[in-house]
Amino acid sequence: QVQLMQSGAEVKKPGASLKVSCKTSGYTFTGLFIHWLRQVPGQGPEWMGWINPNSGDPEYAQKFQGRVTMTRDTSTRTAYMEMRGLRSDDTAVFYCASGLTPYFEHWGQGTLVTVSS
Amino acid sequence: EIVMTQSPATLSVSPGERAILSCRASQSVSSNLAWYQQKPGQAPRLLLYGASTRATGIPARFSGSGSGTEFTLTISSLQSEDFAVYYCQQYNNWPYTFGQGTKLEIK
């Protein structure tokens, strides 16, 4: 079955960078897009963008353009999301999700990121 | 971007009763709407897509309707495991956007 396993919780200072990993199993890695979403506590999820694991091409929501980079490593079946210039309002749970469709059937367990001085 | 508005924010219903949750889009999203269920500490779980098609393994008590800008999620006979937060998501336009959620609580 499709499984997505994310890296562990992180605490970051304002201005720092973050890199979250999403290791996949149970399907052909290059066959499904990997999406990244952010969920601030008490709010709905927010779609950040996706990466096509086959080509490596990403697409970003305009809000995150220039601050986020999505990459993948096909040899380890892992996708990565890097965010720079962290602020306190970036404190959230970050999720990866996989699929061919723009709705999300398979999710990682989430990575809690706390940004605090 | 398309704004998704869910109502009510909180819905109190007794087990065995029916719950009706609403979702409104700021412009038409055709039938490109999904519903999710989220429990504390868990990732969202896909319930419906295409406004009314149940995802794999979703019980028949979950149903959806609507198109354009008005959508409804109906849970026909609430079970204890159904008390959670529910989100709608449009995927008709970039960026894909979610509502703020409806918390379904036990009455």
Side-chain angles (χ1 to χ4, degrees), chain B residues 42-79:
Chain B
Q42 296 183 15
R45 174 195 181 196
L46 177 68
L47 298 176
L48 302 169
Y49 59 90
S52 61
T53 302
R54 282 188 299 277
T56 304
I58 301 303
R61 64 180 182 273
F62 291 91
S63 63
S65 64
S67 66
T69 62
E70 300 284 344
F71 301 88
T72 298
L73 169 67
T74 301
I75 311 170
S76 60
S77 178
L78 281 164
Q79 308 296 303

Side-chain angles (χ1 to χ4, degrees), chain A residues 65-85:
Chain A
Q65 194 92 30
R67 204 159 72 97
V68 166
T69 302
M70 296 176 188
T71 58
R72 93 304 188 212
D73 181 340
T74 56
S75 68
T76 60
R77 305 171 54 90
T78 303
Y80 299 92
M81 186 283 297
E82 182 174 15
M83 180 178 278
R84 300 170 291 280

Side-chain angles (χ1 to χ4, degrees), chain A residues 35 37 39 42-47 50 59-62 95 102-105 107-110, chain B residues 34 36 38 41-46 49-50 55-56 87 89 91 94-100:
Chain A
H35 299 260
L37 303 99
Q39 187 171 28
Q43 297 184 18
E46 184 174 25
W47 179 76
W50 77 42
E59 292 285 354
Y60 304 119
Q62 186 173 7
Y95 291 101
Y103 49 86
F104 314 114
E105 185 166 12
W107 295 68
Q109 83 277 20
Chain B
Y36 299 83
Q38 189 175 32
Q42 296 183 15
R45 174 195 181 196
L46 177 68
Y49 59 90
T56 304
Y87 295 101
Q89 176 226 339
Y91 52 92
W94 280 12
Y96 309 133
T97 49
F98 290 76
Q100 289 302 294

